[in-house]
Amino acid sequence: MLKQVYTNNTVLEAARERISYIFDEFENIIVSISGGKDSTTLAHLTLTEAHKRGRKVGLFFLDEEVVYDSTIKQIEYLMDLYPENTIKLWLQLEFHLTNATSLTESQLICWEAGKHQIWMRPKNQISIKHKPWDVTKETVRDKNKGFGFYDAIENFENSRQNTAFLVGLRATESPNRWRAVSKNPGYKNIYWCTKMTNGNVSFYPLYDWNFHDVWKYIYDNKLRYSKIYDYMWKKGMGLQEIRVSSLIHEKSFRALVELPEFEPKTYDRLLKRIKGISVGNLYGKDRALLRVQKLPKNYKNWREYRDFLMATYPDPEKKEIFVKRFAKHLDNDYVARQQCRQLVLNDYENNLPIDNKPDPREVLIQKWRELL
Amino acid sequence: MIRIGLNSREKQKEIDNYLQTANIKKIFCFYFQKFPLKIKTDIEVEYIEYADIEMYKYFYRLLEEINETSLIVINECMRTHNRSELIYNCAHHYLNQTPHRIIFEFFPIIEDKNDFMILLDFENKGKYKGKSFDYAFLQTEDIKIKPFKMKFEPINVEIEEKYIKLYENKKNQLFDNLGEKDPDTIPRNLQLFAGDLKKKAIDPNNLYVARNKRFKLENVKTYDDIETQGNYIVIDMHYRRLNFNDFLKTTQMTKIKYLSTVLSIDNVIITEFSKWKARLESIYAQASLYK
C-alpha cells in the first residue's frame, strides 16, 4: 500500500527543488500540457525556472481537435506566458480517437485530411502540422485500431533524445498508475520518474500534490484557468469531480450533457463534425442509457438486456472481442450490468474493466431469506 | 480530544477548560444542523454547518484563516459511514492547520466499531490512516466517554393466525416480485405490514413513533416530527441506523419500548438492535469514563 510520509517541506518547495534539479541535469526539457489545472501549474512552475535561468523549455500539446474551446484558449495563454522561454510544440496531426457516443462511427480521425470544412476549428498558425518524426520508423500499438493518441505521444517522445518530459501526474488522482510508474527509480536514485528510450525520462514533479494544492497555486499566482472548471463548479459538481477532458471518450462522454450550456458554439460544431453527439447530449446522464445504471423497462434482468445488446451488435469484428471477453466472466446480474455498459459504450478496448465477482445483491437477498 | 455522550452544558465546560490552557483567538465550530451548539465565550466564534464544510466558498477561505491560534470544535458531525467521504477529507484539511480541536459526538459509532475511526481521523488523520479499529486506540488519545445506557423492552402484541399466514404470503410475494429493486425494501415493507397489525395495541394515553403517518392518530408521531425530549413507544424502527440514533439523541430515551409480534421481522429488528447495543457497550466498557 502507498504510504505518505510527511517532511518539513511544503509540496510547492519540493516541486521547485525537483524542477531545479531537472534543469541542472537536462539540456532539453519538455512539459506536456492539456489545458487542465495540473499541467497549467506544472507549466508555470517550469517556465518560471526557465525564465530565471534564461533557458527555453518546450510546451507540448497534442491537439485532439474535439476539445473545449476554453482548453484551446488555455493552451494559447500558456504558450504566450513566457514567449522568450517557450518552444511551442502544438501538434495538430491526423490520429484516431475512440467515439463512445456512436456505434456506427466508433472512431474519429481528428484533423482528417479532406474534412477541413467540418473540423472543429481551423488549425492554429503556430502549430506543427506534419509528423515531426521519421514516418518510416513510426510505431503503432494496435494496427487494427490505427494510429491513435498514445501512438502520437510515443512517436513524438521517441523522436527526441536525452530529454526530460515533465508530466502533471499526481499520485492521489491515479494511485494505480502512480504505483506502476514509481516502482523503480527511473533516473539515478529518483522514484518520481520513469525511464524511457533514447535517454529520455518522464518526470512527475507534482506527484505528491493534492487537488487543493494545485488550486491554491493557481490562486496565489493569479493564473488563468479553463472556464470549464467554473461552469462545472457552478453546476454543483464536487471539487474532485471537475476536470477538463476529451468530449467523446468512453470515460468522458458525460461532458456532452453540459456542453450546450457551457459552450454552445463548440456543441454546434461538434454536431456537424461527428455522429452520436446528440445521443451523448440527451442520454449522457440518463441512468438507463449511456450510464447503464437502470435496467430499461422491457427487460427482466441485466443478463437478458446484455443478450439483446449482443444479438443486435452492429460490428461483427468487435462483437467477437466481446464474445471472447465475456466468456471468461461469471454469469450474474452484477457482471452483466457492467457488460451492458461496455456494449452500450462500445468499449471493445476494455477501458472500463469488469469487476468479475459474485453478485452482492444476491448475497443480500440470501441474507434476508435466511433471516426472515 | 474526543468527548462522547456529553450534553450542551458539559460541552461548554470542556470548551471553557480548554480555552484556559491555550491561547485561542478564534473558534470554528462545525455542527450538524439538527444538533447546533451555542458556545458562550468572549472569543470570536464562527459556526459552519456540516454540509458547508466541503463548499468552495468556505474551503479556501478557511484554509487561509485557520491557524495555530484557532480552536476547531466538531459537533455531532459523524454523518456517514464512509470514512473516505469528501466532506471528512475537507474537515481533515482544516484540522491539519491547528493542534487545537475538540470532537463531540453522542454515540461513538453509527453502526459498527470501525465508525469510531472517523472520530480518530478527526483527532489525527495521519496517525490512523488506513488502520482498522482497535480497542487499544481508546487509550492512546485523550478520549472520555459518558455512556448512554439503554434498556430495550419489547411489548408483546398478540396477532391472529390468519395474519401470520397473510404475512408469509406478503413475504413470498416481496421476494418473488423483487425484480431490480433494492433487497433492503423487503424488510422495510414487512415492517410496515407488521406495524399495521400493532394498531390495536396503541393506547391513547401514550406517545408512539412510526415510520410514517399511516395511523392518522395524534399520539403517533413520525421520526421527522420529533424535535425534543420525550418518551415514545416504537411501532416501527427507523430503517436507517443513523436516523434511529438521532431519535435516541433527541429524545434521550433510556428505556426503549418496542411493540413486538411473533413475526420474523420483529425478531430480526430486536436481534439487530441488541447486537448494535452490544457493540456500543463494548466500547463503553473499554474507554475512560467522563466524570
Side-chain angles (χ1 to χ4, degrees):
Chain A
M1 202 181 77
L2 280 181
K3 205 176 168 187
Q4 256 177 314
V5 179
Y6 287 94
T7 66
N8 288 331
N9 257 9
T10 66
V11 287
L12 177 57
E13 285 160 359
R16 281 187 177 135
E17 282 166 18
R18 287 171 200 143
I19 289 168
S20 172
Y21 173 78
I22 296 166
F23 271 85
D24 291 342
E25 295 282 310
F26 286 83
E27 197 61 41
N28 307 313
I29 297 170
I30 294 177
V31 186
S32 295
I33 56 172
S34 65
K37 62 182 190 314
D38 300 339
S39 65
T40 293
T41 300
L42 181 62
H44 186 259
L45 278 164
T46 314
L47 284 166
T48 312
E49 184 68 20
H51 188 69
K52 205 167 82 186
R53 295 181 182 229
R55 298 249 312 256
K56 281 198 172 202
V57 291
L59 290 192
F60 170 66
F61 174 58
L62 180 59
D63 192 338
E64 292 175 74
E65 188 199 331
V66 203
V67 294
Y68 292 105
D69 223 29
S70 316
T71 299
I72 298 307
K73 288 202 175 92
Q74 185 68 9
I75 298 298
E76 286 168 343
Y77 160 75
L78 290 172
M79 295 265 179
D80 289 335
L81 260 182
Y82 290 94
E84 68 281 17
N85 304 100
T86 306
I87 305 163
K88 296 171 183 175
L89 301 168
W90 184 335
L91 266 61
Q92 292 182 314
L93 317 164
E94 256 188 54
F95 60 89
H96 295 233
L97 275 178
T98 305
N99 177 19
T101 58
S102 167
L103 285 170
T104 53
E105 197 176 303
S106 61
Q107 294 248 309
L108 166 78
I109 303 174
C110 55
W111 306 114
E112 190 177 355
K115 287 199 174 175
H116 60 278
Q117 281 177 327
I118 56 164
W119 284 347
M120 292 293 289
R121 65 205 127 83
K123 285 190 179 178
N124 196 292
Q125 271 189 344
I126 60 155
S127 73
I128 297 169
K129 297 167 185 73
H130 301 282
K131 292 175 177 175
W133 55 81
D134 182 354
V135 285
T136 58
K137 289 180 186 162
E138 186 172 274
T139 55
V140 182
R141 290 179 179 193
D142 182 346
K143 293 226 166 76
N144 294 327
K145 262 179 65 191
F147 186 78
F149 181 80
Y150 292 104
D151 296 317
I153 292 182
E154 221 165 78
N155 280 284
F156 175 77
E157 287 170 346
N158 291 342
S159 71
R160 306 274 157 162
Q161 287 186 334
N162 303 322
T163 302
F165 286 94
L166 274 54
V167 182
L169 174 70
R170 292 186 294 107
T172 53
E173 197 179 39
S174 174
N176 283 336
R177 202 174 148 212
W178 174 248
R179 213 170 285 134
V181 298
S182 64
K183 222 172 165 185
N184 300 304
Y187 178 77
K188 295 190 177 171
N189 59 348
I190 290 176
Y191 279 82
W192 40 275
C193 63
T194 316
K195 191 180 171 187
M196 293 150 64
T197 52
N198 299 340
N200 295 335
V201 184
S202 198
F203 287 97
Y204 317 109
L206 305 185
Y207 79 94
D208 51 358
W209 287 44
N210 222 320
F211 67 93
H212 44 78
D213 298 319
V214 175
W215 283 118
K216 181 169 166 36
Y217 184 84
I218 289 173
Y219 175 82
D220 289 346
N221 291 280
K222 305 204 169 8
L223 299 185
R224 221 189 103 153
Y225 56 90
S226 171
K227 270 275 156 222
I228 293 303
Y229 288 115
D230 283 343
Y231 292 140
M232 288 179 172
W233 178 257
K234 281 179 190 163
K235 288 281 284 192
M237 295 183 199
L239 269 179
Q240 280 179 312
E241 217 182 318
I242 59 177
R243 57 181 63 244
V244 175
S245 58
S246 154
L247 292 171
I248 57 169
H249 194 251
E250 62 273 12
K251 285 188 183 169
S252 55
F253 61 86
R254 266 170 278 176
L256 290 173
V257 179
E258 267 94 18
L259 185 62
E261 195 179 332
F262 295 171
E263 287 191 358
K265 283 182 187 162
T266 310
Y267 180 67
D268 211 36
R269 288 197 297 266
L270 201 56
L271 280 175
K272 291 177 190 137
R273 177 72 178 95
I274 186 164
K275 282 186 185 169
I277 293 306
S278 53
V279 174
N281 167 247
L282 286 173
Y283 305 120
K285 287 196 177 173
D286 186 311
R287 295 180 73 234
L289 285 159
L290 292 187
R291 288 183 70 194
V292 201
Q293 286 182 346
K294 195 178 156 201
L295 184 69
K297 255 201 259 180
N298 298 322
Y299 299 92
K300 267 194 235 134
N301 53 46
W302 289 103
R303 278 170 284 183
E304 197 181 292
Y305 184 41
R306 176 205 52 204
D307 294 343
F308 164 78
L309 289 172
M310 209 53 158
T312 56
Y313 196 82
D315 182 335
E317 276 177 34
K318 295 202 177 88
K319 181 175 175 172
E320 200 48 40
I321 299 175
F322 288 115
V323 171
K324 276 188 190 160
R325 187 186 301 157
F326 294 174
K328 294 175 202 152
H329 294 159
L330 293 171
D331 192 27
N332 66 45
D333 253 26
Y334 177 72
V335 171
R337 188 194 75 79
Q338 301 172 73
Q339 292 169 335
C340 289
R341 188 173 57 164
Q342 285 202 336
L343 288 164
V344 168
L345 295 177
N346 192 22
D347 181 23
Y348 57 91
E349 293 168 297
N350 207 18
N351 286 324
L352 303 165
I354 284 169
D355 182 18
N356 188 33
K357 68 173 188 187
D359 189 345
R361 200 168 165 276
E362 289 297 328
V363 175
L364 190 56
I365 293 170
Q366 190 54 34
K367 173 192 143 184
W368 288 127
R369 275 196 195 282
E370 282 163 16
L371 287 173
L372 296 168
Chain B
M1 62 181 173
I2 300 174
R3 296 290 180 265
I4 305 291
L6 307 195
N7 60 32
S8 310
R9 189 180 46 77
E10 290 160 336
K11 286 176 183 175
Q12 178 66 47
K13 201 175 142 202
E14 285 296 303
I15 295 168
D16 290 343
N17 290 344
Y18 195 91
L19 292 175
Q20 281 172 15
T21 61
N23 178 27
I24 301 298
K25 293 195 174 130
K26 184 171 175 181
I27 300 172
F28 293 87
C29 176
F30 298 101
Y31 68 98
F32 181 63
Q33 58 171 3
K34 209 174 168 191
F35 304 104
L37 177 69
K38 281 280 158 252
I39 301 171
K40 288 175 205 138
T41 174
D42 295 335
I43 297 169
E44 185 190 352
V45 184
E46 180 174 350
Y47 296 93
I48 297 132
E49 209 276 305
Y50 171 79
D52 288 334
I53 290 176
E54 64 181 349
M55 301 300 267
Y56 181 84
K57 59 184 173 182
Y58 287 97
F59 189 72
Y60 291 101
R61 179 175 67 78
L62 292 184
L63 282 187
E64 279 187 10
E65 287 181 15
I66 295 172
N67 57 34
E68 62 278 11
T69 65
S70 314
L71 167 65
I72 299 182
V73 175
I74 305 245
N75 190 55
E76 312 297 336
C77 286
M78 186 161 61
R79 300 304 306 173
T80 164
H81 238 344
N82 181 4
R83 206 175 149 190
S84 317
E85 192 70 34
L86 178 64
I87 206 157
Y88 290 153
N89 283 337
C90 291
H92 299 149
H93 287 296
Y94 305 138
L95 290 158
N96 270 343
Q97 315 233 115
T98 173
H100 309 293
R101 75 276 309 265
I102 306 178
I103 296 122
F104 293 124
E105 195 65 48
F106 192 74
F107 288 117
I109 57 171
I110 298 173
E111 183 65 58
D112 61 60
K113 56 188 183 347
N114 266 317
D115 297 331
F116 193 77
M117 297 310 293
I118 294 166
L119 303 180
L120 284 170
D121 283 343
F122 283 149
E123 180 66 17
N124 191 337
K125 169 77 183 170
K127 189 169 166 186
Y128 295 102
K129 197 177 178 186
K131 291 185 180 157
S132 300
F133 179 78
D134 191 316
Y135 286 104
F137 295 155
L138 294 169
Q139 301 303 330
T140 51
E141 301 294 339
D142 179 7
I143 300 168
K144 295 273 188 302
I145 292 189
K146 189 175 136 193
F148 184 70
K149 294 275 171 76
M150 288 165 282
K151 231 182 181 175
F152 192 72
E153 207 179 285
I155 302 169
N156 193 35
V157 180
E158 295 290 336
I159 51 170
E160 293 169 42
E161 194 63 33
K162 66 174 179 181
Y163 290 117
I164 297 174
K165 277 186 188 145
L166 279 176
Y167 170 85
E168 286 302 319
N169 291 344
K170 173 84 181 170
K171 186 170 76 184
N172 293 334
Q173 186 201 346
L174 286 168
F175 276 113
D176 293 345
N177 299 326
L178 182 63
E180 288 305 304
K181 284 187 289 227
D182 179 359
D184 284 335
T185 55
I186 296 172
R188 286 179 209 162
N189 279 310
L190 286 177
Q191 201 190 169
L192 289 177
F193 182 91
D196 291 345
L197 303 177
K198 299 171 188 172
K199 191 173 181 181
K200 60 180 181 191
I202 296 174
D203 177 347
N205 299 316
N206 289 328
L207 283 172
Y208 294 84
V209 61
R211 285 248 305 274
N212 53 33
K213 293 184 171 153
R214 67 193 188 282
F215 295 102
K216 295 188 175 71
L217 294 170
E218 268 300 302
N219 62 332
V220 180
K221 308 286 179 196
T222 68
Y223 285 95
D224 285 345
D225 292 338
I226 296 166
E227 288 172 342
T228 51
Q229 286 191 18
N231 282 313
Y232 296 86
I233 296 170
V234 179
I235 301 173
D236 318 311
M237 193 77 93
H238 202 293
Y239 63 88
R240 284 187 72 214
R241 176 75 64 203
L242 187 61
N243 293 65
F244 194 73
N245 294 355
D246 284 351
F247 163 74
L248 294 175
K249 224 187 270 190
T250 306
T251 58
Q252 296 285 312
M253 278 166 46
T254 49
K255 195 185 271 181
I256 300 150
K257 292 183 180 171
Y258 177 69
L259 293 185
S260 171
T261 64
V262 291
L263 301 173
S264 58
I265 183 66
D266 281 330
N267 189 30
V268 169
I269 285 165
I270 293 169
T271 312
E272 289 299 311
F273 186 80
S274 307
K275 283 184 188 167
W276 174 80
K277 194 167 159 278
R279 289 194 289 272
L280 191 68
E281 282 165 358
S282 66
I283 290 187
Y284 286 159
Q286 298 192 46
S288 303
L289 292 183
Y290 175 83
K291 284 170 191 164

